[in-house]
Amino acid sequence: MEAYNTSIYPVFEADQVLSQKELNLLVSHLEEQDRITRKNLIGLGIICGLELSFPSANSVKIACGTATTSLGFQINWKETTLTQYHDFEISDQFLKADYTREPYLDIFLNMLISMSQ
């Protein structure tokens, strides 16, 4: 995911009424800023915890902990013991941005690009 850098921020007036779309747009913008901060300042991978142990030959125990994905999402993991697995192939779209979960972010990014040109 490419980070964007902007000096254009929403300006609110006293007694202004905001629509659902405007509020969701602002939340999406702030969440994107959080992800960029996590990814670029804190770094990717395990932040704390997530130690592995092998209580038996066919199980893996993962201790509780926190990690940051390559897209800047935070993962909080509860202690879990895994006893089964299945093969999994990662698609080439794995690291691509997914705007379907936050449709307002795409609108916001397009607006910023058009304003900067």
Side-chain angles (χ1 to χ4, degrees):
M1 175 176 211
E2 291 184 27
Y4 68 95
N5 211 356
T6 182
S7 58
I8 303 167
Y9 298 98
V11 177
F12 302 108
E13 305 293 331
D15 301 321
Q16 178 180 358
V17 177
L18 298 175
S19 70
Q20 174 186 359
K21 182 178 177 180
E22 292 166 323
L23 290 171
N24 287 331
L25 183 67
L26 180 61
V27 168
S28 292
H29 170 73
L30 294 174
E31 286 177 347
E32 175 67 10
Q33 292 297 313
D34 283 345
R35 285 192 294 274
I36 290 169
T37 300
R38 247 184 251 121
K39 185 172 108 174
N40 295 328
L41 295 179
I42 297 172
L44 306 178
I46 296 172
I47 296 171
C48 66
L50 299 177
E51 287 91 16
L52 297 177
S53 61
F54 304 93
S56 69
N58 295 327
S59 65
V60 176
K61 182 177 176 181
I62 305 173
C64 64
T66 302
T68 302
T69 70
S70 58
L71 296 177
F73 290 96
Q74 183 175 340
I75 299 172
N76 294 312
W77 185 270
K78 294 181 181 179
E79 185 174 297
T80 305
T81 300
L82 306 171
T83 59
Q84 299 177 9
Y85 79 96
H86 65 86
D87 292 328
F88 182 78
E89 188 173 321
I90 297 176
S91 78
D92 59 345
Q93 300 296 314
F94 178 69
L95 296 177
K96 302 279 185 190
D98 180 11
Y99 296 114
T100 58
R101 295 185 67 197
E102 298 194 39
Y104 297 105
L105 183 59
D106 191 38
I107 296 166
F108 180 73
L109 291 175
N110 288 333
M111 180 183 70
L112 289 176
I113 290 169
S114 67
M115 292 175 77
S116 65
Q117 294 176 349

